[in-house]
Amino acid sequence: MPEISIIVPVYNTEKYLSRCVDSVLGQTYKDFECILVDDGSTDNSPKMCDEYRGKDERIRVVHKTNGGLSDARNNGLKVCSGNYIFFIDSDDWIHPQTIEILYYAAKKSNVGIVSCKEIKTTKYNNNFCLYNSKEIDKLEKYNKDEILDEFLEKFYWKIEPYAWGKLYKRECFDKIQYNVSMKLYEDEYIYADIIEAAGTVGCLEHELYYYYQSTDSLMRGKFAKRFILTLKSLQHISDFMRERKIYHERDLFEFKWMMGYMDLYYRIKSEAPELMKELNTYKSQFRKKWIKLLNNKQISRAYKVMLVMFILNPNIAKGLYNKLTR
């Protein structure tokens, strides 16, 4: 039984699949299985997956009908056998020492999740800086309350809510699956659940994951209806906090939700006005949330003024919003 399961969702990425899988097979740590989950690809990806299976016995292939990224990850989780889980998207690639360094850190620190830094790039780069895998003294260790506290209070976090770039203990997913209805922000949707299951998180400064930013990718392309799902994701996390009475005396996550609503409002108005009617279905929630935030001392006066201005006239509030979120 392999120690680590590396799960790679694959959908129509024949242009990038080889560099992804080759970066996995080239790892300095060898005790892993690599599960390629072909999510109903219509290009040459399924054939490439099968060819890789014939070349290396550590490769396993799952062919399935198209169900989306969340469904592909869930299928990988169903068949994996490792004690640790690592996700990588099929258009990305990893440093040759990624698994070695993350695994060493996980074993030494005994945390539920170890996260590394990513390099976002539009070009393939294999000029790797080699590390001494045992030099992990700078590992920052946090318990779940510290991580969730940061997630509530800030807009940028030490551990980003992405599935990739992290090594998880297998039990993190014993009772958790990705929500197949979420076609965007699916990572963020279960972020709080994963952190609670992990209990502890370790963060490394090593840049070990290469995130490829294609100009036609889902996240970077023309504004799509699916971006509205961010509100659904943030609302799920807000409900999670309330149900478990985590920070139940604070309103900061509600504030985060409202900031998400405002961001979508301005983006939809300028890029996809035909979606404004759908966004307005969340308008009543926004109006219910904003009043109680005015007495919250953890939210600055400038942000409170912005909220009031937005309720009165979103056009007037835009200038202050841009200044505060720049």
Side-chain angles (χ1 to χ4, degrees):
M1 181 183 298
E3 180 69 359
I4 297 172
S5 295
I6 300 174
I7 298 174
V8 187
V10 179
Y11 181 70
N12 288 355
T13 50
E14 63 178 5
K15 292 190 297 183
Y16 316 114
L17 186 58
S18 291
R19 74 183 184 195
C20 173
V21 180
D22 288 345
S23 75
V24 172
L25 297 180
Q27 289 297 295
T28 53
Y29 183 86
K30 304 297 183 182
D31 187 16
F32 65 82
E33 63 178 355
C34 178
I35 303 172
L36 305 178
V37 185
D38 166 36
D39 189 35
S41 298
T42 57
D43 63 358
N44 201 41
S45 296
K47 181 181 177 182
M48 294 175 68
C49 290
D50 291 336
E51 289 174 347
Y52 269 109
R53 177 171 51 188
K55 294 177 181 178
D56 196 306
E57 62 182 7
R58 294 174 297 176
I59 297 287
R60 299 173 61 190
V61 177
V62 176
H63 294 291
K64 58 181 288 295
T65 57
N66 181 253
L69 181 58
S70 293
D71 191 48
R73 285 177 180 158
N74 288 340
N75 272 265
L77 289 169
K78 287 178 184 177
V79 303
C80 72
S81 55
N83 293 317
Y84 288 86
I85 307 294
F86 183 86
F87 294 103
I88 176 173
D89 291 349
S90 57
D91 53 350
D92 299 336
W93 65 98
I94 52 178
H95 187 284
Q97 295 173 285
T98 298
I99 302 302
E100 175 190 356
I101 292 173
L102 292 179
Y103 180 66
Y104 181 86
K107 296 297 286 186
K108 182 175 181 179
S109 60
N110 194 32
V111 294
I113 301 172
V114 177
S115 174
C116 66
K117 297 295 185 181
E118 80 279 0
I119 296 176
K120 295 181 179 179
T121 178
T122 58
K123 297 180 180 180
Y124 177 63
N125 179 7
N126 61 354
N127 295 320
F128 303 114
C129 171
L130 297 180
Y131 299 99
N132 181 337
S133 63
K134 294 180 173 54
E135 291 179 353
I136 60 167
D137 294 338
K138 294 183 179 180
L139 176 77
E140 297 181 14
K141 188 174 179 179
Y142 305 93
N143 62 42
K144 63 181 181 180
D145 292 332
E146 290 172 318
I147 292 294
L148 291 174
D149 185 39
E150 183 186 54
F151 191 62
L152 278 168
E153 293 183 0
K154 299 179 181 179
F155 291 93
Y156 301 97
W157 313 294
K158 292 183 178 68
I159 175 170
E160 298 284 354
Y162 308 128
W164 43 261
K166 301 172 181 66
L167 189 68
Y168 307 82
K169 283 187 176 179
R170 179 65 183 84
E171 51 263 35
C172 290
F173 292 96
D174 282 350
K175 298 180 180 179
I176 298 172
Q177 285 193 328
Y178 287 94
N179 188 324
V180 297
S181 69
M182 298 293 292
K183 305 301 182 183
L184 199 64
Y185 299 104
E186 71 289 333
D187 304 336
E188 198 167 278
Y189 189 85
I190 65 168
Y191 179 79
D193 305 79
I194 290 289
I195 295 299
E196 184 178 58
T200 52
V201 178
C203 300
L204 288 170
E205 292 299 316
H206 299 66
E207 295 179 331
L208 303 174
Y209 191 97
Y210 290 80
Y211 178 82
Y212 180 63
Q213 295 183 304
S214 170
T215 55
D216 60 354
S217 71
L218 182 63
M219 292 297 293
R220 287 171 58 83
K222 181 177 172 58
F223 188 91
K225 180 178 179 179
R226 286 169 289 185
F227 272 85
I228 295 178
L229 286 174
T230 185
L231 294 178
K232 182 178 178 180
S233 175
L234 291 174
Q235 188 59 52
H236 170 77
I237 300 170
S238 179
D239 294 341
F240 173 96
M241 301 293 181
R242 190 178 299 108
E243 289 169 4
R244 291 159 177 78
K245 297 183 179 179
I246 301 173
Y247 312 112
H248 60 284
E249 296 179 353
R250 300 184 184 182
D251 301 316
L252 291 176
F253 205 85
E254 297 294 325
F255 176 61
K256 187 185 292 289
W257 186 94
M258 297 179 74
M259 293 295 292
Y261 177 91
M262 294 175 66
D263 175 63
L264 285 168
Y265 177 90
Y266 291 124
R267 294 187 63 184
I268 286 175
K269 187 173 181 181
S270 63
E271 299 178 42
E274 69 276 9
L275 300 180
M276 189 61 73
K277 183 177 180 180
E278 183 169 352
L279 180 65
N280 283 340
T281 60
Y282 292 93
K283 191 174 183 179
S284 61
Q285 291 186 46
F286 185 94
R287 290 182 174 274
K288 288 178 182 178
K289 296 176 188 295
W290 79 277
I291 296 178
K292 63 181 181 180
L293 297 181
L294 296 183
N295 294 322
N296 192 307
K297 295 180 180 179
Q298 294 175 285
I299 299 174
S300 71
R301 184 175 181 274
Y303 277 104
K304 291 176 182 177
V305 170
M306 178 192 67
L307 289 175
V308 174
M309 291 173 63
F310 186 82
I311 288 290
L312 296 175
N313 190 325
N315 293 330
I316 296 176
K318 187 176 181 180
L320 182 56
Y321 172 85
N322 290 339
K323 181 179 180 180
L324 292 174
T325 59
R326 188 179 310 163

